[in-house]
Amino acid sequence: MKKTVNVHAARPVPSGTFQPAAAQEAERGVPHVQERAHPTEREEMKPAPPADDDDEANSYDSDEATTLGSLEFTLLYDQGNNSLHCSIIRAKGLKPMDSNGLADPYVKLHLLPGASKSNKLRTKTLRHTRNPSWNETLVYHGLTDEDMQRKTLRISVCDEDKFGHNEFIGETRVVLKKLKFNQKKNFNVCLERVDGAEIEERGRILISLMYNTQLGHLIVGVIRCVHLAAMDANGYSDPFVKICLKPDMGKKAKNKTQTKKKTLNPEFNEEFSYEIKHAELAKKTLDISVWDYDIGKCNDYIGGCQLGITAKGERLKHWYECLKNKDKKIERWHTLLNENHVSSD
């Protein structure tokens, strides 16, 4: 099963022109490279358990390698057809994500830099397993030699949740310039968590806060966003903003703006009011998230931020100034990050 995506202005790929690496090498008189990694490439590979047969995979213990699990896949850049073939084979010992001690895993690909649905691919979801075997090939078309020198492939394993946000399990990244053209390379890697340095900025949002003492309300203004990540194939997004005062505020804590069509710099100018005692604000966190609206599909998470006493930097400062300066509207810009959420797929 193959899924494909055009990266940019890809020329049509003639049917039947793609040749496996072995065939292309044979024509040039180059010995075929076996799928097992060449000794010089082992330095690029992270430690992982050896490949087992299916029966042994079912009994795989994640403690042998990593608490997140491992992922086996292959990459092949077909230079003649400008296509990158990523074959997702299997994962082992994934971290349990559900109450039954299992997970509903799928794999998602992104080409970085860039945050666009037009360069996102994903496998099918496999239910109730920590040792999924996908054996699924995902293909990027229209990938140039220049792209191979500057792009990184991010491979994420996530847990699908029908009743909430999909959860991130772990990821690995491959710098594409390390691949040899027309040669398949095998990977068997331990999944990792994203650290702070790798979190992507997805734009900025202007928020106003004011505590109205006469009404006993916190008034939150969603003013505008700039430089949002493009989530649609047309290079734009259809953004809206959700805000939620946590914890223990129920449905009345959740609000959202109108959706603005086909823009990366939307102006909202909407205000939302929360009835709450001033003394209780120190215990609350304001969760702000920006989403791309999709008709008939799950909406895509663009980015977000949280304001509150437990926040840091400008997010903490803004909240503190609101608490300190009653009846004064205070506006601040905040950076939107892609942490804490997984886009709905």
Side-chain angles (χ1 to χ4, degrees):
M1 178 178 180
K2 288 194 176 185
K3 295 181 182 178
T4 66
V5 65
N6 288 318
V7 179
H8 56 75
R11 65 174 184 271
V13 181
S15 60
T17 58
F18 172 70
Q19 291 181 300
Q24 295 177 353
E25 292 161 0
E27 290 180 357
R28 301 196 308 270
V30 180
H32 174 51
V33 178
Q34 296 296 322
E35 290 190 355
R36 185 171 56 192
H38 191 278
T40 59
E41 295 173 346
R42 286 175 184 162
E43 294 178 357
E44 302 171 14
M45 298 174 64
K46 301 180 180 65
D52 297 315
D53 60 30
D54 291 341
D55 291 338
E56 291 173 330
N58 290 332
S59 61
Y60 177 78
D61 184 355
S62 65
D63 291 339
E64 294 175 9
T66 169
T67 56
L68 300 177
S70 64
L71 180 67
E72 185 178 347
F73 61 96
T74 67
L75 293 177
L76 168 66
Y77 176 60
D78 177 16
Q79 187 179 24
N81 287 325
N82 295 116
S83 58
L84 177 66
H85 298 245
C86 181
S87 295
I88 306 297
I89 302 171
R90 65 176 65 90
K92 293 183 180 180
L94 294 179
K95 179 182 177 182
M97 303 299 289
D98 299 334
S99 58
N100 59 8
L102 300 173
D104 299 318
Y106 65 94
V107 177
K108 183 168 58 174
L109 307 183
H110 278 100
L111 283 174
L112 304 175
S116 170
K117 283 190 295 187
S118 63
N119 71 37
K120 180 178 70 177
L121 292 172
R122 62 160 286 174
T123 67
K124 59 182 177 291
T125 299
L126 298 181
R127 301 291 176 187
H128 311 306
T129 178
R130 293 175 54 208
N131 302 295
S133 292
W134 288 282
N135 293 310
E136 192 171 343
T137 299
L138 308 175
V139 183
Y140 284 105
H141 287 295
L143 204 63
T144 66
D145 294 356
E146 181 182 352
D147 290 328
M148 292 295 293
Q149 291 300 312
R150 64 185 183 88
K151 295 277 189 182
T152 295
L153 180 66
R154 180 190 184 194
I155 306 176
S156 307
V157 181
C158 303
D159 173 63
E160 185 172 296
D161 188 346
K162 290 184 178 180
F163 305 105
H165 294 304
N166 296 340
E167 294 183 278
F168 176 78
I169 297 177
E171 70 165 46
T172 189
R173 300 190 183 201
V174 179
V175 178
L176 295 182
K177 66 181 179 182
K178 293 184 178 181
L179 297 180
K180 296 180 180 179
F181 293 176
N182 304 314
Q183 292 187 21
K184 181 189 290 186
K185 183 172 180 179
N186 277 23
F187 295 83
N188 196 349
V189 302
C190 295
L191 296 172
E192 300 175 325
R193 281 282 186 176
V194 180
D195 61 37
E198 294 180 324
I199 293 173
E200 299 168 17
E201 292 188 10
R202 296 292 187 89
R204 292 174 65 79
I205 187 169
L206 181 60
I207 295 291
S208 68
L209 297 177
M210 182 181 74
Y211 186 78
N212 186 310
T213 54
Q214 185 176 357
L215 298 175
H217 286 190
L218 172 68
I219 300 174
V220 180
V222 179
I223 302 171
R224 66 190 305 174
C225 297
V226 294
H227 310 310
L228 292 179
M231 304 300 287
D232 293 337
N234 61 11
Y236 293 98
S237 293
D238 299 321
F240 66 93
V241 180
K242 291 200 285 190
I243 61 173
C244 182
L245 195 60
K246 301 178 178 180
D248 307 324
M249 293 290 288
K251 290 185 178 180
K252 63 182 180 180
K254 299 179 180 180
N255 289 289
K256 69 177 182 178
T257 68
Q258 294 181 338
T259 300
K260 302 297 180 180
K261 297 293 185 180
K262 200 176 177 181
T263 178
L264 303 180
N265 301 286
E267 292 191 23
F268 298 101
N269 295 311
E270 297 185 43
E271 288 190 338
F272 304 93
S273 182
Y274 295 96
E275 184 177 356
I276 184 172
K277 294 179 180 178
H278 183 268
E280 295 178 359
L281 283 177
K283 304 174 186 177
K284 301 298 181 183
T285 297
L286 184 67
D287 184 82
I288 302 167
S289 56
V290 183
W291 299 77
D292 171 54
Y293 175 74
D294 274 338
I295 299 175
K297 300 179 182 179
C298 293
N299 300 320
D300 280 306
Y301 179 75
I302 297 177
C305 63
Q306 292 188 331
L307 310 183
I309 294 298
T310 58
K312 297 180 180 179
E314 286 296 315
R315 295 171 292 174
L316 170 61
K317 183 179 179 182
H318 194 184
W319 195 253
Y320 177 76
E321 288 179 344
C322 172
L323 297 183
K324 185 178 179 181
N325 300 285
K326 300 175 184 178
D327 298 310
K328 181 179 180 181
K329 181 183 290 188
I330 301 172
E331 296 182 359
R332 291 284 182 272
W333 285 100
H334 297 286
T335 300
L336 299 167
L337 302 175
N338 69 336
E339 59 184 336
N340 298 330
H341 283 267
V342 172
S343 299
S344 300
D345 293 283

